[in-house]
Amino acid sequence: MTGAAVALVASLGIGVADAAPTSAPRTYPTGATPCTATAKACVDVDGRTAWLMDGHGAIVRGPVSVQTGDDEDPTPRGTFHVQWKAEQYTSREYLTQMPYSVFFADGGVAFHEGRQDTPSAGCVKLDEADAKAWFAYLQVGDEVQVT
């Protein structure tokens, strides 16, 4: 993460990683996630966990708990790229608020703030603090891997 990105995340009061100094993210072996080193966001659908990564194999936040889709509306798996972001967004299909949306797959699939006790319609729902962190950190074009 660049110094500017660390400063942005810190200015939002959301911390980059648990007890990590702002000068450098805490690093872990790439094997600590199911994703490759090139990912900036990693999601383990079956484990309902996600990470933010630096694109070189280091974890900068996570693992965090997430809620994903169910059998009717599964979260798509594969390698994607952030398409666009919206701090406040309302799903046109479900008329549901999706704060801090980071869209990464066709069909309106995004990371966003949402309840953790119900499945999504294919999105990756995060609690408020994590949704803010994902929104601040991820940029259009960043690689997202969903396993």
Side-chain angles (χ1 to χ4, degrees):
M1 182 183 302
T2 66
V6 170
L8 171 63
V9 171
S11 73
L12 295 171
I14 54 179
V16 176
D18 299 337
T22 57
S23 60
R26 196 166 58 180
T27 61
Y28 298 83
T30 301
T33 77
C35 298
T36 67
T38 58
K40 294 295 284 274
C42 175
V43 179
D44 175 1
V45 172
D46 295 334
R48 290 188 26 210
T49 53
W51 298 260
L52 287 177
M53 300 172 64
D54 71 354
H56 301 285
I59 296 169
V60 297
R61 188 177 179 105
V64 303
S65 295
V66 298
Q67 187 58 264
T68 58
D70 57 16
D71 290 339
E72 266 185 53
D73 294 304
T75 300
R77 296 175 194 242
T79 300
F80 308 93
H81 291 88
V82 173
Q83 298 172 352
W84 60 288
K85 297 167 40 169
E87 190 169 353
Q88 293 299 322
Y89 183 79
T90 301
S91 166
R92 292 179 218 137
E93 186 174 352
Y94 299 99
L95 300 177
T96 303
Q97 294 294 311
M98 298 169 52
Y100 308 106
S101 290
V102 179
F103 293 89
F104 63 88
D106 292 341
V109 178
F111 294 105
H112 65 84
E113 180 186 343
R115 291 176 48 176
Q116 296 297 297
D117 60 346
T118 58
S120 73
C123 290
V124 178
K125 298 191 302 185
L126 301 148
D127 70 20
E128 181 182 16
D130 292 327
K132 286 180 179 180
W134 259 243
F135 185 82
Y137 183 74
L138 292 172
Q139 301 303 311
V140 171
D142 284 350
E143 186 173 302
V144 174
Q145 293 180 17
V146 182
T147 65

